[in-house]
Amino acid sequence: SSATPDMKIAFTAPAGAVMELGEVASAGSGQSTDVLETSGTASGRITVRGSNLPSIIRVSGTITTGSSAGTLTLQWAQATANANGTVVSAGSYLRLDQI
């Protein structure tokens, strides 16, 4: 990957849902934090490691659904355009728990 890899994420929730999510990422000496409270709005820059080293991004919080059914969608992209892509590796996962 690039010498300065990074990414951003966004969640799109069904109409009427209330999002209260936080993101913390650790990539060696780099760290980032952000709050995601608006459906479909991208996070700030999330620092990830280069050279295919693992990075940990922890997203936690709650999404309280409203009266509308729908789908929760996760989107990710590079935060800074670069010819070398930032990859979400095989074996990565997102776990949701109903409470």
Side-chain angles (χ1 to χ4, degrees), residues 60-78:
S60 61
T62 60
I63 299 174
T64 306
T65 57
S67 59
S68 300
T71 302
L72 176 65
T73 305
L74 167 64
Q75 299 169 297
W76 71 87
Q78 285 180 280

Side-chain angles (χ1 to χ4, degrees), residues 1 4 7 12 14 19 22 25 30 34 38 45 53 56-57 61 65-67 71 75 80 84 86-87 90 94 96-97:
S1 69
T4 55
M7 63 186 303
T12 303
M19 288 182 26
D34 202 356
T38 305
R45 180 181 179 273
L53 296 172
I56 298 170
I57 302 169
T65 57
S67 59
T71 302
Q75 299 169 297
T80 305
N84 298 315
T86 298
V87 176
L94 176 67
L96 300 173
D97 296 316

Side-chain angles (χ1 to χ4, degrees), residues 4-47:
T4 55
D6 55 21
M7 63 186 303
K8 56 187 174 182
I9 60 173
F11 288 90
T12 303
V18 177
M19 288 182 26
E20 295 176 335
L21 301 174
E23 162 270 307
V24 176
S26 178
S29 61
Q31 186 173 6
S32 63
T33 60
D34 202 356
V35 175
L36 302 168
E37 294 181 312
T38 305
S39 179
T41 299
S43 68
R45 180 181 179 273
I46 299 172
T47 303

